[in-house]
Amino acid sequence: MSTPPQNTDSPGYAARLWMDAQPSVLSFICAAIPRFHDAEDVLQEVAVDVAENFSQYDRDRPFVAWAIGIARFKIAAYYRSRGREQCLLDESVLEHVGQAHVTQHDHLGEMRQALEDCLERLAPKARSLVQMRYADDLRSPELAERLGSTSGSIRVTLTRIRNQLLDCIRGKLAQGAAS
Amino acid sequence: MTQPFDPELAIDAYLDGELDAEQEAALRAWLAEDPQRGARMLAERSLLHSRLARMHAQAAPADPATPTGRGTLLHSAAHFFTRRTPLSITVAALVIGLLITAMAFIAAPIYRHLAGPGREPGKFAPPVIVAELSGVHEAVWGEGQIGSHRGAQLPAGHSLHLNEGIVEVTLSSGAVLVIEAPAVVRIDGPNRCSLETGQLVARVPAAAIGFSIATPNCEVVDLGTEFGVDVTGERSGVQVFEGSVALVPGSGPSAPSQRRVLVAGEAVLVDQSGLVEPAKLTDMQSFRRHIPAAPQWVDVTPEFVGKENCSRVLYTGIGRATEIASLHVYDAAVGSRNGNQYVWLDLSASLPQLPPERIERVLLRWDGVVVPQVVPTHGSKGGVQAELGVFTVPDGRRGIPTVFARADGKNNVNFYAAHESDVIDAVTVPAVSEDRRILASWDITKLVQHWIDNPEAPHRGQLVLINRQHPVWVQWDGTPRVLARIRPHEESDAKASDESEPPRQAAPQDDLKH
């Protein structure tokens, strides 16, 4: 499908850039604010800022890097508003995490596709646990209670499933790069 | 904790918000050791975590509980894993299965517990599933209960410790037990159980004749019937509602002479010695013969007036809903998922005759591609009601944008639009009232116009108005149809001791015929 010529001043252009960057920005925010709903709120604030300040975006820079820069301000503001609570990541780590997101953003599309494929390939049981964790938004103590296990075991199992997904994604990316 | 530090585990715990202070310190130290390495791992896992959260958060609302069985939407992947679907039974079983398999080596005691008594530790044999927990109503389980959610598959030997509520167990023979808390019941086999304490009612179809319940001092063998058994202290009571049962007292001195057949309307008490005494029905426990009815879908489908005028359809629908089910809509929004259109309604301001907690969902189903347009108007109740307008996507458009709305806890309501799971635009509007349910003004038309003006931008997704307390929604898909999911009145649930017939758990299809 041919891409129509893009008017870089149209709001559609901004929207498309944001659409493309948003998963990485959300991931970056999640890394700094490990409460998904709060992270989503901050993401919305970033979206508003991005929309309002789009004219200041330097078109020569990667958009995702610019948006992550805005997210860093919003994250700082988030923690300021929460008083004593501090971000686990200090400035330098956050900087690296931002850069890592910009780097991995190049492969975001493939990663997302790979994730969907890899989820399909999970054993139904593992996928169910992922569903319970994310769709039902259950944490390990609740999962443990529901499944008669311990939080520790649930966490270990979830980490194994995530490792399995990441291995699968990496495999698919390597395959894609080789072909 | 002497366990070696596992950065992957720690990062996952951190992302899940479950890091304890000790792990936190260890993670900080690990990150400081080599920030670049740490950042890479964190970025990778955070992306996975946030994608999974997003994908599933998207999937979660599409949980219409298959009201008709013919909506294509209802076969969506999102629907696949929701707990109200029949498939959830499989999923629940799979989850338990997963736990058995995955944790056999980490947590062998779990398996042993699940498999029930009598199995040797460490001997791995698949449990024999003999029953399903087919209904759960406000259940509070005793500690260590496994698989105690609806759809759970129960192995032979499994004991249910029910502290509160009422549950239904369907044995593989077809016998159905309605167990009322507090009760301890062990499922001994496909057609046999033991009531240690508490009360239950058994409904036994012809195929399961011979079903038996053991109590500490008698055994009741079904001869094709419905009967109740209660165990209080050292006494067992048996009451037959329909058909007949054979009563076999236990090993007490009076037992052998006390064997008898009880018929419908009869009730007896059996004491520790095996002595059987006739009982007045008034002396008996009042048995619950049915689990309280599940929420029902009530059809409030409006007249079909054409897809150019969805707002009229919706309004007619809301009017009908108001008439039939006293639904009062304060906020609403429209959108789509997977090509199906949704309208979200906030019914939190419903009148007392239908309190919001009794409404689970409102479902409007519709055929045709529409783009949402939501215009607020002032409601007669002093708040603001949303007026829903819908316009058709011009030919060549690729579906519907997504617009989310969320109260942010600061008296603002944020709307953000998305394609599939990705936010692509956002606006924030102030709310006037402290309860954040009533919006001063909000207009997502601009966002929608945005896609209309930019045909190359993807147009697919959903629009959601979330009221976290009472998320109620309407959805378009296929034949236009409005369904309100209403919880039945608790008081309409009859106890068996009442003369009235308990409410049948209505099949949704029946409700659609109104």
Side-chain angles (χ1 to χ4, degrees), chain B residues 62-227:
Chain B
D63 177 22
T66 318
T68 66
R70 44 191 154 135
T72 49
L73 165 99
L74 309 175
H75 300 131
S76 71
H79 183 228
F80 219 59
F81 284 93
T82 53
R83 259 169 286 142
R84 287 190 184 82
T85 68
L87 197 79
S88 63
I89 293 162
T90 322
V91 171
L94 290 173
V95 170
I96 294 166
L98 165 73
L99 267 287
I100 295 168
T101 319
M103 295 179 180
F105 53 94
I106 322 172
I110 297 169
Y111 169 71
R112 289 199 297 275
H113 185 124
L114 182 69
R119 286 184 193 274
E120 285 174 49
K123 250 197 183 171
F124 194 93
V128 182
I129 301 298
V130 293
E132 179 189 309
L133 195 58
S134 46
V136 177
H137 180 77
E138 293 171 2
V140 176
W141 299 93
E143 266 181 52
Q145 285 282 279
I146 293 179
S148 46
H149 53 282
R150 185 165 169 235
Q153 305 290 297
L154 308 176
H158 185 78
S159 280
L160 296 164
H161 296 253
L162 186 64
N163 290 346
E164 283 174 37
I166 176 163
V167 300
E168 185 186 84
V169 172
T170 302
L171 293 150
S172 51
S173 64
V176 176
L177 310 177
V178 176
I179 303 164
E180 193 171 356
V184 177
V185 179
R186 192 176 70 232
I187 310 300
D188 298 320
N191 210 23
R192 184 184 163 79
C193 73
S194 304
L195 177 64
E196 291 174 26
T197 179
Q199 66 181 79
L200 63 78
V201 168
R203 271 199 313 280
V204 186
I209 286 178
F211 165 78
S212 66
I213 295 180
T215 76
N217 44 17
C218 72
E219 181 159 350
V220 184
V221 182
D222 165 79
L223 304 172
T225 187
E226 180 174 355
F227 63 97

Side-chain angles (χ1 to χ4, degrees), chain B residues 446-504:
Chain B
K446 274 184 246 158
L447 292 174
V448 172
Q449 197 60 43
H450 175 77
W451 282 282
I452 299 302
D453 293 342
N454 296 278
E456 73 278 13
H459 292 293
R460 193 158 161 271
Q462 64 177 19
L463 180 146
V464 178
L465 177 66
I466 298 170
N467 174 302
R468 280 180 178 162
Q469 283 176 319
H470 307 296
V472 181
W473 55 282
V474 169
Q475 171 193 336
W476 270 299
D477 169 49
T479 316
R481 181 172 290 280
V482 184
L483 305 167
R485 193 169 157 96
I486 313 286
R487 284 182 195 277
H489 281 292
E490 182 58 26
E491 57 268 34
S492 69
D493 177 61
K495 286 249 177 179
S497 55
D498 298 336
E499 293 297 308
S500 61
E501 184 67 18
R504 193 169 52 90

Side-chain angles (χ1 to χ4, degrees), chain A residues 16 18-19 22 27 31 34 40-41 44 88 104 112 133-134 139-140 147 157 159 162-163 170, chain B residues 8 12 14 16 18 24 43-47 49 54 95 103 406 414 416 422-424 450 456:
Chain A
R16 274 191 305 284
W18 174 244
M19 185 185 75
Q22 181 270 333
S27 169
E40 280 195 312
D41 285 345
Q44 289 178 51
L88 180 120
Q104 75 183 7
R112 289 171 57 184
R133 164 62 188 84
Y134 288 105
R139 292 297 184 278
S140 61
L147 300 167
T157 307
T159 290
R162 286 164 175 150
N163 284 346
R170 286 185 206 115
Chain B
E8 289 165 350
D12 284 353
Y14 165 66
D16 283 332
E18 297 184 4
E24 186 180 317
E44 191 181 36
R45 299 189 90 81
S46 180
L47 183 64
H49 171 78
R54 254 300 159 77
V95 170
M103 295 179 180
R406 236 176 74 193
N414 302 312
Y416 55 105
D422 303 321
V423 172
I424 64 176
H450 175 77
E456 73 278 13

Side-chain angles (χ1 to χ4, degrees), chain A residues 35-98:
Chain A
R35 268 174 300 272
F36 191 67
H37 294 303
D38 286 1
E40 280 195 312
D41 285 345
V42 171
L43 179 73
Q44 289 178 51
E45 289 172 19
V46 176
V48 172
D49 253 35
V50 164
E52 282 175 356
N53 300 306
F54 187 67
S55 60
Q56 292 164 31
Y57 162 57
D58 173 0
R59 314 284 151 113
D60 297 331
R61 281 185 66 203
F63 178 81
V64 67
W66 182 66
I68 281 176
I70 291 177
R72 284 188 66 181
F73 283 108
K74 294 292 176 191
I75 289 163
Y78 169 85
Y79 279 105
R80 269 201 306 278
S81 74
R82 294 182 71 95
R84 282 172 49 199
E85 189 184 342
Q86 283 190 350
C87 185
L88 180 120
L89 313 178
D90 63 31
E91 275 301 304
S92 102
V93 174
L94 204 56
E95 172 74 37
H96 284 296
V97 173

